[in-house]
Amino acid sequence: MSKNAKLAVLGSINADHILNLAHFPRPGETVIGQNYQVAFGGKGANQAVAAGRAGADIAFIGCVGADDIGERIREQLTQDNIDTTPVEVVEGESTGVAMIFVNGDGENNIGIYSGANAALTPDCVARHQQVIAGADALLMQLESPLESVLAAATFARQHQTQVILNPAPATPLSDELLALIDIITPNETEAESLTGIAVHNDDDAARAAAVLHAKGIGTVLITLGSRGVWLSEQGDGQRIAGFSVKAIDTIAAGDTFNGAFVTARLEQKPMYDAVRFAHAAAAIAVTRSGAQPSVPWRTEIDEFLQQQG
Ligand code: RIB
């Protein structure tokens, strides 16, 4: 893939309602929060923004509602260097919503209303098939209807477009879909849900990767939080450490990693360098709050890497 290689991202768009509080409420408990903000999010949009700000030539396939926030999100995506022509406005539906609690340790939990994201149907994918056919790589997640993810992956395979799947949130996947994936990027929880292997250490990660290779996936990247990632190419595995920073909010850290990683690969960076580039982008993101507000631009990633030596 060349420096001008094209990326298509297909996925969700949400308005994130984020409440920071000391600890997560237990069932029946009310906790008074310290800070509340509405920020643009959604795993698809976050990954598209991460790629756009990192310098990718990118088009985004997604859906917003016919509402004010959907309009503002589309404008912002355009400013983030993203071709939003394939972002559809769905009449009679609201833009997707994520209700997010962030606790004092920077951890989060999330509840979602899909809204317009549910309108990203196989028919919608078919309307934008030329975007997929004309791309060198297609990046997807699992906040869109599964049948649409399958339709897009099938279409990508027919047109030699590389398929990268970030299987988040954790969802059981068919062997039919897995066989169409070139690169998969689960975290530990998602890797366990896909393989049945609990990932506590590098050996577990290697065994989980082997299960995914056996399904037909050439490259497996299991993200391991503060321990970095386990990279396995056709069973040849290594752990690549991340950067140590003080995290205040991990929302969209994985999304930033994915968008930056694919951008680097499209620039033909070797796998190891692409992972380090993505680690740097994610390390910056966790030092900031919110999803898209936390995603760094290319100059920031390059400077961070330079400082690391
Ligand atoms: O990955 C983080 C994202 O998950 C948030 O932006 C939220 O919208 C949910 O989709």
Side-chain angles (χ1 to χ4, degrees):
M1 288 176 259
S2 74
K3 184 121 186 147
N4 294 320
K6 285 190 184 306
L7 172 63
V9 176
L10 180 148
S12 60
I13 300 172
N14 292 332
D16 290 352
H17 293 253
I18 305 168
L19 180 63
N20 293 79
L21 24 68
H23 64 88
F24 296 133
R26 287 177 289 273
E29 185 188 18
T30 299
V31 176
I32 309 275
Q34 287 96 32
N35 187 52
Y36 167 75
Q37 62 169 316
V38 179
F40 300 157
K43 293 187 192 304
N46 296 344
Q47 294 183 18
V49 167
R53 291 185 190 170
D57 181 350
I58 170 189
F60 181 45
I61 303 168
C63 295
V64 291
D67 46 22
D68 172 62
I69 197 146
E71 183 55 35
R72 286 192 287 130
I73 290 172
R74 282 207 328 155
E75 273 170 32
Q76 180 60 47
L77 292 172
T78 306
Q79 285 168 26
D80 287 325
N81 295 336
I82 297 164
D83 176 3
T84 58
T85 314
V87 175
E88 296 195 0
V89 178
V90 183
E91 293 298 331
E93 204 25 293
S94 60
T95 296
V97 171
M99 312 297 294
I100 305 180
F101 288 144
V102 179
N103 72 7
D105 296 326
E107 299 166 322
N108 61 67
N109 61 32
I110 303 178
I112 288 199
Y113 171 65
S114 294
N117 293 309
L120 210 174
T121 59
D123 281 350
C124 176
V125 173
R127 285 195 287 280
H128 302 292
Q129 54 181 255
Q130 290 316 317
V131 176
I132 298 171
D136 296 277
L138 170 68
L139 172 62
M140 298 187 287
Q141 324 71 36
L142 299 176
E143 281 182 351
S144 304
L146 262 188
E147 63 271 25
S148 307
V149 174
L150 177 62
T154 304
F155 196 73
R157 176 59 63 91
Q158 285 163 3
H159 292 269
Q160 293 82 48
T161 301
Q162 189 177 45
V163 179
I164 300 101
L165 180 69
N166 173 228
T171 310
L173 298 178
S174 67
D175 286 353
E176 183 188 13
L177 174 58
L178 292 173
L180 294 168
I181 308 304
D182 296 293
I183 303 178
I184 196 162
T185 62
N187 65 17
E188 293 139 303
T189 310
E190 293 145 8
E192 178 174 357
S193 135
L194 291 174
T195 66
I197 295 170
V199 178
H200 300 300
N201 54 43
D202 293 353
D203 286 345
D204 297 336
R207 286 190 301 122
V211 172
L212 293 167
H213 288 315
K215 303 278 185 190
I217 304 172
T219 301
V220 178
L221 266 166
I222 302 177
T223 54
L224 307 167
S226 59
R227 296 197 326 112
V229 305
W230 182 260
L231 166 65
S232 181
E233 295 177 273
Q234 306 289 359
D236 188 6
Q238 61 174 313
R239 187 161 58 81
I240 304 177
F243 298 103
S244 178
V245 292
K246 178 153 178 38
I248 62 155
D249 174 346
T250 58
I251 299 172
D255 297 332
T256 303
F257 180 93
N258 277 276
F261 168 73
V262 174
T263 302
R265 287 297 289 160
L266 288 171
E267 290 177 10
Q268 293 186 313
K269 281 194 199 302
M271 195 58 92
Y272 180 87
D273 294 350
V275 170
R276 292 256 309 166
F277 181 84
H279 272 327
I284 298 169
V286 300
T287 64
R288 303 170 176 172
S289 62
Q292 288 164 38
S294 74
V295 175
W297 287 84
R298 178 59 172 255
T299 49
E300 297 175 296
I301 304 170
D302 288 342
E303 272 167 28
F304 181 95
L305 281 168
Q306 259 172 14
Q307 283 162 11
Q308 301 299 316

